[in-house]
Amino acid sequence: MLQLRNVDVCYGSFKALTDISMSVDSGELVVLLGANGAGKSSLFNAISGLNKPAAGEIEFEGKRLDGLKPSGIVSSGVVQCAEGRKLFPMMSVQQNLMMGAYVHRRDKAGNKQRLEDVLELYPILREKADQPAGSLSGGQQQMVAIGRALMSRPRLLMLDEPSLGLAPLIVRQMFETIQKINRLGTTVLLAEQNAFAALKIATRAYVMENGQLVMEGDRDTMLGNEEVRKAYIGA
Amino acid sequence: MNLFFQNIVNGLTLGSIYGLVALGLTLVYGILHIPNFAHGALYMVGAFMSYFFMVDLGVHYWIAMLGSAAVVAVLAILCERLVFHPLRNSPPIHDKIAAIGILLFLEAVVQMFWGADFRRMTSPFTGIMRFDGLIIPEQRALIIVGAIVLVIALQLFLRKTMTGATIIAMAQSREGAFLVGIDANRVAMMTFAISGMLAAFAATLYAPINLVYPAMGHVVIMKAFVIIILGGMGSIPGAIVGGMIIGFAEAFGGFYISSSYKDIIAFGLLVVILSVRPQGLFAKGAH
């Protein structure tokens, strides 16, 4: 479904990503593990079109994504829920969610249905619908961010560290809903530092270090791998 | 009592014009982070376009106003496409230099066609309305009502339409706007077009009680910058309230202190307000 071939990303003379080749198949939940600064967000931003890759190809459902504008990539069905959420803080929760449906703005009935689905996934947001998104707790803001991404009707949803800065209980619920979203048919690419929790719900995983992919394997291989355990799980 | 009322009318008139100009300036700054020094030149071109349509082509005031707004909107979009868009990844100082370049260019072009003379543009609204001894010239009433209508129309557009919401979204979180698929170029062009239209409306409303000349934008743009600084850079209510504060200060200061000091009052107020509230009156929470 998503194919990256030999992708390089540079910031000026600094090479943030070197020779990244990876794939995500339809229906999978693929986890991207890596420490801070390993290049996970750079990779996501390259796929989303926020940074242009210096070399390589990015393909989604057979169509080249590199070179498209960010808006074109969202319309193609690849939607990112970024680290730090990037909500519209002064808009209400409902407006934030509806902005997610921007590329589908002509389909009013479809968006209404979609909004119902998101509110069913996160019932607490129904109560908070009229509050400014910036006034919500961290966990609720993360729900709005994921909900907003779902409103864009992704076929591939990329989640960048959704557990960052959340309390352990909230993190667990967060992973449960991510698994649910995946089971309902959305392919997920999840960047995480919280390796154990992420691997538990994963189909496959990649490990990223210093801008390179250094390991790949299915869930059980990764959970059993000595280096992964030492570096990311701490057991 | 009568004089006091007269000063209120004058304050509202000036405040409306300043507010409209500052509104365009603050929109462009708040959304694109460009301090558009050329905004005063767009205002000036707006006045000359209306003058051209009315005096040279002989069309009605309202048509001239709409025509001028359309021309200036296109001109503003051209500025964005040809000058600011190519500079989007440059250091901010380049935007400022380019804006001053546009300002000088537009003034030179207008001077080439119309010369540096002061011109008078008469609107069809020259009458005077009387209410029980209180006097309001029709054009001033038109300015005040016109400004209110434009501000309400702008608010409705920004709050009630999806297209308007993209502008607000871009102002609150640029990356968030990209992530939901909002096209930055479209928003940039639209913002410049709205800003140019507001300048043209303000110029056409104000020209009949003032004069039309190539340097007419200078003082207006200086004051518009004072207004958006004291109102809070990028804040829409800040631009409107700031415009009224400066308008009233000039009307009352000009009358009770001295009319030769009226331009200094705006800058004096800026110093006073910024020493009390350095972030401006309506600092934006979303940044």
Side-chain angles (χ1 to χ4, degrees):
Chain A
M1 184 182 217
L2 179 77
Q3 281 280 350
L4 276 77
R5 278 186 284 269
N6 313 104
V7 171
D8 287 355
V9 169
C10 301
Y11 298 113
S13 60
F14 171 70
K15 207 168 190 184
L17 297 179
T18 311
D19 200 26
I20 302 286
S21 295
M22 65 180 292
S23 65
V24 178
D25 291 331
S26 187
E28 279 192 310
L29 195 164
V30 175
V31 168
L32 186 62
L33 297 176
N36 269 335
K40 304 187 296 293
S41 299
S42 295
L43 180 62
F44 277 18
N45 287 341
I47 299 172
S48 287
L50 301 176
N51 301 326
K52 298 266 167 277
E57 287 175 18
I58 302 173
E59 217 178 79
F60 180 70
E61 294 176 335
K63 186 174 127 193
R64 285 284 290 268
L65 287 189
D66 47 307
L68 285 186
K69 285 194 285 191
S71 50
I73 292 173
V74 174
S75 316
S76 312
V78 178
V79 181
Q80 178 183 183
C81 173
E83 185 184 337
R85 306 171 194 126
K86 314 287 183 207
L87 297 177
F88 307 118
M90 328 251 267
M91 287 190 187
S92 71
V93 167
Q94 171 131 358
Q95 284 172 319
N96 266 277
L97 293 174
M98 289 317 287
M99 285 315 287
Y102 176 70
V103 297
H104 305 287
R105 58 193 175 281
R106 310 232 184 280
D107 178 13
K108 293 224 161 58
N111 290 334
K112 215 171 153 198
Q113 180 56 44
R114 194 85 195 174
L115 182 65
E116 274 310 305
D117 296 346
V118 169
L119 293 176
E120 205 162 296
L121 190 67
Y122 295 121
I124 183 82
L125 295 186
R126 204 184 289 273
E127 292 165 35
K128 308 273 177 185
D130 295 323
Q131 293 186 21
S135 72
L136 268 54
S137 72
Q140 290 164 353
Q141 289 196 20
Q142 189 62 52
M143 293 176 194
V144 179
I146 296 179
R148 186 181 69 180
L150 289 173
M151 290 300 291
S152 307
R153 309 184 194 179
R155 289 194 294 286
L156 173 66
L157 174 65
M158 300 193 292
L159 297 163
D160 194 355
E161 302 222 22
S163 72
L164 197 71
L166 301 184
L169 180 66
I170 312 285
V171 170
R172 213 175 69 203
Q173 292 169 352
M174 187 61 59
F175 281 111
E176 278 166 14
T177 50
I178 292 169
Q179 189 168 34
K180 194 166 165 193
I181 291 166
N182 179 243
R183 286 198 177 136
L184 289 172
T186 308
T187 309
V188 176
L189 179 58
L190 170 66
E192 261 303 332
Q193 298 198 45
N194 198 334
F196 188 61
L199 283 175
K200 272 204 305 194
I201 61 169
T203 335
R204 268 188 317 127
Y206 289 91
V207 177
M208 193 173 224
E209 274 171 21
N210 298 322
Q212 285 175 299
L213 290 178
V214 294
M215 209 184 295
E216 187 214 332
D218 63 22
R219 176 184 52 193
D220 298 334
T221 325
M222 292 305 244
L223 275 171
N225 185 293
E226 204 53 37
E227 281 173 59
V228 173
R229 294 190 77 92
K230 263 196 198 129
Y232 299 103
I233 299 174
Chain B
M1 181 58 209
N2 210 333
L3 282 174
F4 182 78
F5 176 77
Q6 230 56 65
N7 279 324
I8 289 183
V9 171
N10 289 349
L12 279 173
T13 313
L14 282 173
S16 300
I17 296 300
Y18 292 160
L20 287 179
V21 177
L23 206 50
L25 194 62
T26 213
L27 271 178
V28 167
Y29 184 82
I31 292 148
L32 306 163
H33 305 286
I34 297 169
N36 189 9
F37 295 112
H39 194 63
L42 294 177
Y43 169 85
M44 179 271 298
V45 172
F48 268 94
M49 279 299 125
S50 293
Y51 178 87
F52 171 70
F53 284 128
M54 271 184 80
V55 177
D56 296 332
L57 300 185
V59 304
H60 190 267
Y61 181 68
W62 292 119
I63 314 262
M65 187 184 284
L66 291 178
S68 162
V71 170
V72 177
V74 171
L75 183 63
I77 292 174
L78 283 177
C79 291
E80 197 279 329
R81 279 293 92 183
L82 301 178
V83 180
F84 295 113
H85 181 71
L87 290 175
R88 66 196 178 285
N89 296 324
S90 324
I93 187 79
H94 293 197
D95 284 336
K96 296 179 186 137
I97 297 169
I100 292 170
I102 298 174
L103 162 79
L104 296 175
F105 173 76
L106 290 177
E107 277 189 26
V109 170
V110 166
Q111 195 155 340
M112 189 173 85
F113 284 106
W114 283 281
D117 300 343
F118 290 76
R119 285 153 196 275
R120 186 164 280 289
M121 183 177 117
T122 41
S123 90
F125 306 98
T126 48
I128 284 174
M129 300 191 289
R130 285 169 211 279
F131 300 97
D132 197 18
L134 304 174
I135 294 169
I136 307 179
E138 279 176 5
Q139 185 68 28
R140 287 186 183 266
L142 179 66
I143 290 174
I144 298 165
V145 174
I148 294 170
V149 168
L150 285 171
V151 167
I152 291 174
L154 180 67
Q155 284 297 326
L156 287 178
F157 171 69
L158 292 178
R159 309 272 162 208
K160 298 288 174 204
T161 67
M162 195 60 159
T163 318
T166 62
I167 294 184
I168 306 242
M170 196 66 119
Q172 292 189 12
S173 171
R174 219 178 151 70
E175 287 130 317
F178 287 136
L179 291 171
V180 300
I182 292 171
D183 184 343
N185 288 336
R186 249 188 79 181
V187 173
M189 288 192 278
M190 205 157 56
T191 309
F192 263 92
I194 292 171
S195 147
M197 280 162 71
L198 289 172
F201 281 131
T204 313
L205 285 168
Y206 196 40
I209 58 170
N210 209 305
L211 293 166
V212 179
Y213 53 101
M216 67 187 283
H218 292 181
V219 175
V220 174
I221 188 68
M222 290 287 271
K223 285 183 189 153
F225 266 103
V226 169
I227 288 163
I228 72 167
I229 292 168
L230 70 81
M233 303 287 276
S235 158
I236 291 177
I240 297 164
V241 174
M244 286 299 163
I245 290 176
I246 297 295
F248 273 84
E250 273 187 25
F252 280 87
F255 182 78
Y256 290 107
I257 302 170
S258 157
S259 64
S260 36
Y261 288 135
K262 82 176 170 48
D263 285 340
I264 288 181
I265 290 165
F267 301 101
L269 258 183
L270 175 71
V271 173
V272 173
I273 292 182
L274 286 191
S275 47
V276 183
R277 262 185 84 83
Q279 71 275 39
L281 295 173
F282 292 79
K284 255 174 51 171
H287 254 294

